Amino acid sequence: MEKQKKYKIHFAPVQGITDWTYRNIHAEFFGGVDAYYTPFIRVEKEDSFRSRDMKDCDPELNSVKLLVPQVLGGEPAELDVCLQMLEGRGYKQVDINMGCPFTMISRRGKGAGLLPHPERVEALLEVVKDFPEIQCSVKMRLGWEDPGECLKLLPLLNAAPLAAIFLHARVGVQEYKGEADKEAFEIFYKECEHPLYYNGDVLTLEDIQAVTERFPRLEGVMIGRGLLANPALAQEYAEGKVLAGEERLRKFKAFHTELLAAYAERLQGDHQLLMKMKTFWEYFMPSTDRKVLKKIHKSNKLTQYNEAVVKAFMPGEEDE
């Protein structure tokens, strides 16, 4: 009997959540992830970097098996500075973000704002050639407004020395709304000559199976919100079984407890800690009873937060 192919699972970066603390603790509790990505690093004024970005990609702070820094695609000079810095820190893989849909990024012609401009994408890909020791990948969308934009870029991408492409099956103006366009993805998939990963609305084991059955030549899938909602998703795929019932609640509670303790050491005061954990609950365990989630988000004291969280981990509070 032919052994079923195991596809790689890569954890997409999510600004404000998947920092080094989150990544390390996630890997410790769940595993199943083949590579983690930093939220994008960008150049500030005078070719300097934000201190939080530098800290987040500090090799000494990151204990995951494979961490890939992501940089924000913009001007060639900015990409050059980013790749120089990361090469100096010993990184051999870097991802270039051409997919961020948020207006504050895209209106500056960065992230998904690059996609309607083949000449600008080509200029960035030329920079990649100057760093043969680094395996560069690209995370992108189908386009900014037109899903055909990715096809216009495909000859440039195929000709570039890329290690992989991660394609989110939406256009930028959709952000995360509406349905992912698998038909448009399929056209790109058929002509892409690089290892390709599917990204977009992968929330369950069934979703992983459906995508990989439809696109069997994929290298794997990149998952962001699905892993934030269910941190066990990659582990479930690796082990071929769903984490459910009291075992699931017990493990999720332990994961949350460890995160809370780690952030309590890092952050100053209860207010910062509460803000951080409320952001975490914007995605985590979305089927938790809505009244409990409301109490978590309305809490303005750590005692109130902890009381609400206790209820979230009670059997029956999360609908299976």
Side-chain angles (χ1 to χ4, degrees), residues 42-61:
R42 56 183 160 184
V43 176
E44 296 288 272
K45 294 176 182 177
E46 298 177 0
D47 294 345
S48 62
F49 300 92
R50 295 182 298 182
S51 59
R52 71 180 183 190
D53 289 352
M54 294 296 282
K55 187 170 185 177
D56 196 50
C57 70
D58 184 344
E60 295 295 317
L61 293 176

mmCIF file of all heavy atoms in Angstrom, residues 42-61:
data_model
loop_
_atom_site.group_PDB
_atom_site.id
_atom_site.type_symbol
_atom_site.label_atom_id
_atom_site.label_comp_id
_atom_site.label_asym_id
_atom_site.label_seq_id
_atom_site.Cartn_x
_atom_site.Cartn_y
_atom_site.Cartn_z
ATOM 1 N N ARG A 42 10.599 45.464 9.199
ATOM 2 C CA ARG A 42 10.692 46.546 8.216
ATOM 3 C C ARG A 42 11.753 47.555 8.614
ATOM 4 O O ARG A 42 12.086 47.711 9.786
ATOM 5 C CB ARG A 42 9.345 47.229 8.035
ATOM 6 C CG ARG A 42 8.733 47.763 9.305
ATOM 7 C CD ARG A 42 7.367 48.362 9.020
ATOM 8 N NE ARG A 42 6.570 48.450 10.236
ATOM 9 C CZ ARG A 42 5.310 48.863 10.256
ATOM 10 N NH1 ARG A 42 4.727 49.227 9.151
ATOM 11 N NH2 ARG A 42 4.631 48.916 11.381
ATOM 12 N N VAL A 43 12.262 48.231 7.609
ATOM 13 C CA VAL A 43 13.297 49.243 7.822
ATOM 14 C C VAL A 43 12.629 50.535 8.264
ATOM 15 O O VAL A 43 11.643 50.977 7.672
ATOM 16 C CB VAL A 43 14.104 49.473 6.529
ATOM 17 C CG1 VAL A 43 15.118 50.584 6.712
ATOM 18 C CG2 VAL A 43 14.796 48.181 6.102
ATOM 19 N N GLU A 44 13.176 51.135 9.322
ATOM 20 C CA GLU A 44 12.717 52.442 9.763
ATOM 21 C C GLU A 44 13.605 53.512 9.126
ATOM 22 O O GLU A 44 14.291 53.257 8.151
ATOM 23 C CB GLU A 44 12.777 52.517 11.294
ATOM 24 C CG GLU A 44 11.847 51.546 11.996
ATOM 25 C CD GLU A 44 10.387 51.930 11.896
ATOM 26 O OE1 GLU A 44 9.911 52.683 12.745
ATOM 27 O OE2 GLU A 44 9.714 51.480 10.939
ATOM 28 N N LYS A 45 13.635 54.693 9.668
ATOM 29 C CA LYS A 45 14.449 55.771 9.105
ATOM 30 C C LYS A 45 15.938 55.450 9.235
ATOM 31 O O LYS A 45 16.372 54.793 10.190
ATOM 32 C CB LYS A 45 14.138 57.087 9.814
ATOM 33 C CG LYS A 45 12.708 57.578 9.561
ATOM 34 C CD LYS A 45 12.407 58.827 10.365
ATOM 35 C CE LYS A 45 10.955 59.269 10.138
ATOM 36 N NZ LYS A 45 10.603 60.445 10.967
ATOM 37 N N GLU A 46 16.685 55.927 8.267
ATOM 38 C CA GLU A 46 18.144 55.807 8.264
ATOM 39 C C GLU A 46 18.602 54.351 8.367
ATOM 40 O O GLU A 46 19.564 54.023 9.063
ATOM 41 C CB GLU A 46 18.755 56.632 9.410
ATOM 42 C CG GLU A 46 18.457 58.126 9.283
ATOM 43 C CD GLU A 46 19.008 58.918 10.452
ATOM 44 O OE1 GLU A 46 19.625 58.315 11.353
ATOM 45 O OE2 GLU A 46 18.818 60.147 10.447
ATOM 46 N N ASP A 47 17.901 53.493 7.643
ATOM 47 C CA ASP A 47 18.298 52.089 7.543
ATOM 48 C C ASP A 47 18.407 51.375 8.891
ATOM 49 O O ASP A 47 19.221 50.475 9.084
ATOM 50 C CB ASP A 47 19.639 51.949 6.794
ATOM 51 C CG ASP A 47 19.504 52.371 5.338
ATOM 52 O OD1 ASP A 47 18.364 52.484 4.863
ATOM 53 O OD2 ASP A 47 20.535 52.572 4.690
ATOM 54 N N SER A 48 17.591 51.804 9.847
ATOM 55 C CA SER A 48 17.581 51.147 11.153
ATOM 56 C C SER A 48 16.317 50.297 11.262
ATOM 57 O O SER A 48 15.411 50.380 10.439
ATOM 58 C CB SER A 48 17.627 52.185 12.278
ATOM 59 O OG SER A 48 16.464 53.012 12.227
ATOM 60 N N PHE A 49 16.250 49.492 12.320
ATOM 61 C CA PHE A 49 15.116 48.588 12.516
ATOM 62 C C PHE A 49 14.452 48.875 13.856
ATOM 63 O O PHE A 49 15.092 49.353 14.796
ATOM 64 C CB PHE A 49 15.589 47.127 12.491
ATOM 65 C CG PHE A 49 16.242 46.722 11.201
ATOM 66 C CD1 PHE A 49 17.608 46.820 11.028
ATOM 67 C CD2 PHE A 49 15.473 46.258 10.144
ATOM 68 C CE1 PHE A 49 18.208 46.461 9.842
ATOM 69 C CE2 PHE A 49 16.058 45.888 8.950
ATOM 70 C CZ PHE A 49 17.434 45.993 8.797
ATOM 71 N N ARG A 50 13.168 48.552 13.945
ATOM 72 C CA ARG A 50 12.476 48.679 15.225
ATOM 73 C C ARG A 50 13.099 47.711 16.223
ATOM 74 O O ARG A 50 13.391 46.555 15.887
ATOM 75 C CB ARG A 50 10.987 48.364 15.054
ATOM 76 C CG ARG A 50 10.242 49.337 14.171
ATOM 77 C CD ARG A 50 8.765 49.002 14.074
ATOM 78 N NE ARG A 50 8.530 47.702 13.474
ATOM 79 C CZ ARG A 50 7.326 47.185 13.241
ATOM 80 N NH1 ARG A 50 6.253 47.866 13.587
ATOM 81 N NH2 ARG A 50 7.190 45.996 12.693
ATOM 82 N N SER A 51 13.277 48.170 17.440
ATOM 83 C CA SER A 51 13.927 47.329 18.456
ATOM 84 C C SER A 51 13.143 46.055 18.705
ATOM 85 O O SER A 51 13.717 44.985 18.922
ATOM 86 C CB SER A 51 14.108 48.108 19.767
ATOM 87 O OG SER A 51 12.855 48.553 20.264
ATOM 88 N N ARG A 52 11.811 46.132 18.641
ATOM 89 C CA ARG A 52 11.006 44.928 18.887
ATOM 90 C C ARG A 52 11.205 43.906 17.773
ATOM 91 O O ARG A 52 11.166 42.695 18.017
ATOM 92 C CB ARG A 52 9.533 45.279 19.057
ATOM 93 C CG ARG A 52 8.815 45.720 17.804
ATOM 94 C CD ARG A 52 7.358 46.037 18.111
ATOM 95 N NE ARG A 52 6.636 46.386 16.898
ATOM 96 C CZ ARG A 52 5.413 46.892 16.898
ATOM 97 N NH1 ARG A 52 4.781 47.101 18.045
ATOM 98 N NH2 ARG A 52 4.813 47.185 15.764
ATOM 99 N N ASP A 53 11.417 44.381 16.534
ATOM 100 C CA ASP A 53 11.698 43.456 15.431
ATOM 101 C C ASP A 53 13.042 42.774 15.629
ATOM 102 O O ASP A 53 13.184 41.568 15.388
ATOM 103 C CB ASP A 53 11.703 44.200 14.088
ATOM 104 C CG ASP A 53 10.314 44.645 13.648
ATOM 105 O OD1 ASP A 53 9.333 44.249 14.306
ATOM 106 O OD2 ASP A 53 10.214 45.382 12.647
ATOM 107 N N MET A 54 14.020 43.558 16.050
ATOM 108 C CA MET A 54 15.357 42.998 16.272
ATOM 109 C C MET A 54 15.330 41.969 17.397
ATOM 110 O O MET A 54 15.976 40.923 17.317
ATOM 111 C CB MET A 54 16.347 44.118 16.604
ATOM 112 C CG MET A 54 16.585 45.076 15.452
ATOM 113 S SD MET A 54 17.370 44.273 14.024
ATOM 114 C CE MET A 54 19.065 44.181 14.599
ATOM 115 N N LYS A 55 14.567 42.260 18.435
ATOM 116 C CA LYS A 55 14.457 41.312 19.538
ATOM 117 C C LYS A 55 13.741 40.052 19.102
ATOM 118 O O LYS A 55 14.141 38.932 19.451
ATOM 119 C CB LYS A 55 13.719 41.962 20.718
ATOM 120 C CG LYS A 55 13.702 41.110 21.980
ATOM 121 C CD LYS A 55 13.174 41.894 23.159
ATOM 122 C CE LYS A 55 13.283 41.059 24.439
ATOM 123 N NZ LYS A 55 12.835 41.803 25.638
ATOM 124 N N ASP A 56 12.686 40.217 18.302
ATOM 125 C CA ASP A 56 11.875 39.069 17.907
ATOM 126 C C ASP A 56 12.650 38.080 17.034
ATOM 127 O O ASP A 56 12.355 36.889 17.041
ATOM 128 C CB ASP A 56 10.621 39.548 17.172
ATOM 129 C CG ASP A 56 9.571 38.457 17.077
ATOM 130 O OD1 ASP A 56 9.259 37.840 18.115
ATOM 131 O OD2 ASP A 56 9.075 38.206 15.969
ATOM 132 N N CYS A 57 13.622 38.574 16.288
ATOM 133 C CA CYS A 57 14.402 37.661 15.439
ATOM 134 C C CYS A 57 15.776 37.369 16.032
ATOM 135 O O CYS A 57 16.671 36.880 15.334
ATOM 136 C CB CYS A 57 14.522 38.195 14.007
ATOM 137 S SG CYS A 57 15.555 39.653 13.811
ATOM 138 N N ASP A 58 15.942 37.648 17.329
ATOM 139 C CA ASP A 58 17.197 37.326 18.011
ATOM 140 C C ASP A 58 17.313 35.801 18.138
ATOM 141 O O ASP A 58 16.476 35.172 18.801
ATOM 142 C CB ASP A 58 17.199 37.974 19.399
ATOM 143 C CG ASP A 58 18.511 37.770 20.151
ATOM 144 O OD1 ASP A 58 19.307 36.890 19.749
ATOM 145 O OD2 ASP A 58 18.737 38.477 21.146
ATOM 146 N N PRO A 59 18.327 35.199 17.515
ATOM 147 C CA PRO A 59 18.445 33.735 17.585
ATOM 148 C C PRO A 59 18.536 33.198 19.005
ATOM 149 O O PRO A 59 18.122 32.062 19.278
ATOM 150 C CB PRO A 59 19.742 33.447 16.806
ATOM 151 C CG PRO A 59 19.905 34.616 15.890
ATOM 152 C CD PRO A 59 19.375 35.788 16.667
ATOM 153 N N GLU A 60 19.045 34.005 19.924
ATOM 154 C CA GLU A 60 19.192 33.560 21.313
ATOM 155 C C GLU A 60 17.846 33.403 22.012
ATOM 156 O O GLU A 60 17.732 32.647 22.978
ATOM 157 C CB GLU A 60 20.061 34.561 22.094
ATOM 158 C CG GLU A 60 21.499 34.657 21.619
ATOM 159 C CD GLU A 60 22.259 33.358 21.844
ATOM 160 O OE1 GLU A 60 22.098 32.761 22.920
ATOM 161 O OE2 GLU A 60 22.998 32.942 20.923
ATOM 162 N N LEU A 61 16.825 34.133 21.556
ATOM 163 C CA LEU A 61 15.510 34.091 22.216
ATOM 164 C C LEU A 61 14.575 33.056 21.607
ATOM 165 O O LEU A 61 13.542 32.740 22.187
ATOM 166 C CB LEU A 61 14.846 35.476 22.152
ATOM 167 C CG LEU A 61 15.514 36.596 22.952
ATOM 168 C CD1 LEU A 61 14.792 37.914 22.703
ATOM 169 C CD2 LEU A 61 15.536 36.273 24.434
#
